Amino acid sequence: MTSVQTKPTGAGEAAASTFDSLDPATDEVVGTYPITTAGEVDAAVARAREAAAWWQGLGFAGRAERLTRWKGMITRRSAQLAEVVHAETGKPHSDAMIEIVLAIDHTAWAAKNARKVLGRQKRSSGLLMANQAATVEYQPLGVIGVIGPWNYPVFTPMGSIIYALAAGNAVVFKPSEYTPGVGKWLADSFAEIVPEHPVFQLITGFGETGAALCRSGVDKLAFTGSPGTGRKIMAACAETLTPVLIEAGGKDALLVDSDADLDAAADAAVWGGMSNAGQTCVGVERVYVHESVYDSFLAKVVDVAKSVRAGSDPEAKIGPITMPGQLKVIRRHIADALARGGRAVVGGADAVGDRYVQPTVLVDVPEDSEAVREETFGPTLTIAKVRDMDEAVAKANDTKYGLAAAVYSRRRGMELARRLRSGMTAVNAVISFAAIPSLPFGGVGESGFGRIHGPEGLKEFTRPKAIARQRFKPLMALTSFSRTAKTDAQVAKLITILHGKRV
Ligand code: NAD
């Protein structure tokens, strides 16, 4: 949580603005941070540009060595970082550890694989240009602006930061105003490993600071957050034709087939929907279940969901809603579902308190209600019965979002997964793709575009550079005014032999 304070300063001095980061469970101030102004953002980007040249000069091996040492430092201090995550988001310490562990694994992968994915590769030059040696290499863009959310304040922005750094870029990072302390921890620890130049800088503040980063002349802006803010980011970046990567929200579906392992599917539905108090971009929000197993699946979900409680004591499995404004959205979605004929089989209207939301499972909810169509971002699930898996796929795909999905099926997992319109799908598991560093991560539709993680995530922060080097004089001089009619006739003959055959 945050509160803004404009600290009064002496007469004649400009007002220096700061904001507080609050513990969402207690409203205690956990830190006070500057609101970085547009001028300061520009200065940070200018410093980053110089640092980028130095960082690029280290080469893949030099960068991998630094990133590997950083990974080691994060690992050794992970309990301390988890404490900062816990204080600013309210999520249980063990959940904070999981996102840190995943970020560490991604760092190791990006450091190890950057050269293989981005380094110079030979390409075939083809028969016509057989005298040329063709290569492509992926060069860093320069300075990457990263704007992050609060829900996974380590794992999510690190998906951009690590891959951008491994590719040879400098990074200017604006964390969410709810989690500036986590951002500071990351930037400070990196600076201990890379003290020479400001390769990874932090700026803090609200939307205005983020907008200033969009307009600062960065070479690419990597945004993770809501689709609404994504639109504003694109508009601001359009002014300078700055390319953008958008990782936005979702309304992910889980499909349960007639032959699914129902215990595993129920456990996954509840964990996927309710862990981190439902504040997960790739969390499960909708479940479509084959009618032949609907009743028994629902009974199992109710059992598991009843064992989950939101609170701040050590036994509570989920914490508070980090952003107070979200409580209104969750309350509205539940109320709308109930008003339109839905039933709460766990939780319900009373589940939404002042800070905490208790698990809520809704059934018989019309498909056009807000609880089915909009991102709820709370510990809620809608569960619907379907005739067959074709209907499940059609309903799952009937959304403006398309981030991730999950399928529980013994026989048809791969087939159903491929038919789902989403960037990622887990089969007989949930969210598993996010923990596999070699897999790309990103959405379609209002869930965004571009990819972090994996080879695609490394390439996202580079430009392909093609080089054709002449090895010997061509047998036929095509690119010269000295070209003769004889050469033209030879070319015509050759191309007819190569491509003119009727098929
Ligand atoms: P948000 O859109 O409110 O804020 C995200 C960031 O954008 C913050 O740092 C904020 O300060 C900044 N911002 C706000 N207005 C801005 C502006 N006009 N210009 C530039 N920057 C601006 O999102 P949030 O509430 O922090 O995060 C929750 C959302 O993020 C959910 O929709 C969730 O699904 C999504 N999310 C997506 C992914 C993914 O990988 N696809 C991962 C995590 C979260």
Side-chain angles (χ1 to χ4, degrees):
M1 277 171 58
T2 51
S3 76
V4 192
Q5 290 181 352
T6 302
K7 286 195 176 147
T9 51
E13 280 180 59
S17 287
T18 59
F19 66 103
D20 292 333
S21 169
L22 308 180
D23 182 331
T26 59
D27 284 350
E28 259 172 62
V29 175
V30 292
T32 301
Y33 297 88
I35 298 177
T36 312
T37 64
E40 291 163 347
V41 172
D42 288 348
V45 172
R47 284 194 299 275
R49 204 158 286 295
E50 285 181 23
W54 175 81
W55 181 243
Q56 187 179 351
L58 287 187
F60 289 114
R63 292 193 295 270
E65 187 266 329
R66 300 298 182 105
L67 289 170
T68 304
R69 278 204 279 136
W70 189 33
K71 171 204 77 172
M73 176 184 274
I74 298 173
T75 308
R76 290 188 297 278
R77 299 181 187 173
S78 53
Q80 186 194 65
L81 175 57
E83 222 14 72
V84 185
V85 174
H86 167 69
E88 289 194 318
T89 65
K91 74 173 72 177
H93 194 274
S94 65
D95 282 1
M97 281 302 287
I98 288 179
E99 67 164 301
I100 295 166
V101 164
L102 297 188
I104 291 167
D105 208 31
H106 276 276
T107 311
W109 190 90
K112 187 167 168 226
N113 289 282
R115 182 200 293 276
K116 193 167 77 193
V117 175
L118 306 175
R120 195 181 312 150
Q121 298 156 24
K122 280 191 188 152
R123 296 277 169 95
S124 160
S125 51
L127 256 186
L128 277 180
M129 302 300 268
N131 65 321
Q132 304 284 327
T135 59
V136 65
E137 63 191 61
Y138 293 84
Q139 298 182 344
L141 295 173
V143 181
I144 307 298
V146 176
I147 297 181
W150 48 265
N151 61 334
Y152 287 88
V154 176
F155 176 70
T156 290
M158 287 284 267
S160 295
I161 293 166
I162 296 160
Y163 288 81
L165 290 171
N169 301 280
V171 168
V172 178
F173 173 38
K174 193 203 90 62
S176 165
E177 52 272 39
Y178 292 91
T179 53
V182 176
K184 184 165 164 43
W185 194 101
L186 293 172
D188 286 353
S189 61
F190 184 84
E192 281 188 52
I193 300 288
V194 184
E196 297 94 333
H197 292 275
V199 173
F200 172 23
Q201 292 176 77
L202 181 80
I203 56 174
T204 49
F206 296 82
E208 274 178 28
T209 303
L213 186 58
C214 296
R215 297 191 173 97
S216 65
V218 289
D219 298 293
K220 186 160 196 171
L221 196 294
F223 167 75
T224 309
S226 59
T229 308
R231 272 185 265 280
K232 290 184 195 161
I233 300 262
M234 276 188 83
C237 285
E239 292 171 20
T240 46
L241 279 187
T242 299
V244 289
L245 162 75
I246 304 278
E247 296 285 350
K251 190 73 190 172
D252 292 356
L254 182 150
L255 274 50
V256 184
D257 200 354
S258 54
D259 65 351
D261 174 342
L262 296 186
D263 288 316
D267 189 68
V270 175
W271 187 83
M274 298 179 186
S275 59
N276 204 30
Q279 304 165 112
T280 303
C281 55
V282 286
V284 177
E285 299 224 351
R286 305 175 286 152
V287 185
Y288 295 105
V289 191
H290 194 284
E291 60 184 8
S292 64
V293 292
Y294 177 82
D295 290 335
S296 92
F297 172 78
L298 186 61
K300 289 174 192 291
V301 165
V302 168
D303 262 4
V304 183
K306 281 188 171 159
S307 71
V308 178
R309 182 176 52 79
S312 58
D313 55 287
E315 275 74 48
K317 293 202 172 121
I318 57 178
I321 297 302
T322 307
M323 196 170 62
Q326 198 63 27
L327 289 163
K328 223 166 46 186
V329 176
I330 301 167
R331 192 176 290 121
R332 196 180 68 229
H333 286 192
I334 295 175
D336 181 55
L338 298 178
R340 300 182 56 194
R343 286 184 299 121
V345 289
V346 177
D350 297 342
V352 186
D354 288 342
R355 288 177 201 274
Y356 298 94
V357 178
Q358 299 303 333
T360 292
V361 178
L362 300 162
V363 295
D364 303 335
V365 182
E367 284 291 303
D368 62 351
S369 69
E370 284 185 286
V372 177
R373 305 217 71 84
E374 301 296 331
E375 186 180 46
T376 306
F377 233 49
T380 66
L381 285 175
T382 62
I383 303 189
K385 192 191 292 185
V386 289
R387 268 188 330 277
D388 55 30
M389 298 320 281
D390 288 343
E391 185 185 348
V393 169
K395 286 190 163 156
N397 285 346
D398 182 17
T399 172
K400 61 189 176 186
Y401 298 105
L403 192 52
V407 177
Y408 272 78
S409 172
R410 282 201 169 89
R411 284 171 301 119
R412 298 179 62 191
M414 284 303 286
E415 177 218 326
L416 296 170
R418 294 185 65 227
R419 287 167 60 192
L420 288 166
R421 181 181 165 273
S422 65
M424 298 78 66
T425 298
V427 177
N428 296 329
V430 276
I431 318 186
S432 43
F433 44 79
I436 301 174
S438 61
L439 281 180
F441 184 105
V444 299
E446 294 223 358
S447 294
F449 49 81
R451 292 294 182 266
I452 54 172
H453 302 173
E456 292 80 2
L458 284 167
K459 286 183 181 168
E460 193 73 43
F461 300 107
T462 63
R463 63 172 79 86
K465 172 77 181 186
I467 300 180
R469 180 179 59 80
Q470 179 153 308
R471 294 189 296 143
F472 52 86
K473 274 197 170 170
L475 299 175
M476 294 180 294
L478 301 180
T479 56
S480 166
F481 285 119
S482 67
R483 198 174 66 222
T484 61
K486 191 175 161 206
T487 306
D488 285 343
Q490 282 173 335
V491 171
K493 202 167 169 189
L494 180 63
I495 206 72
T496 307
I497 293 168
L498 286 178
H499 302 293
K501 209 167 140 194
R502 283 182 209 282
V503 284

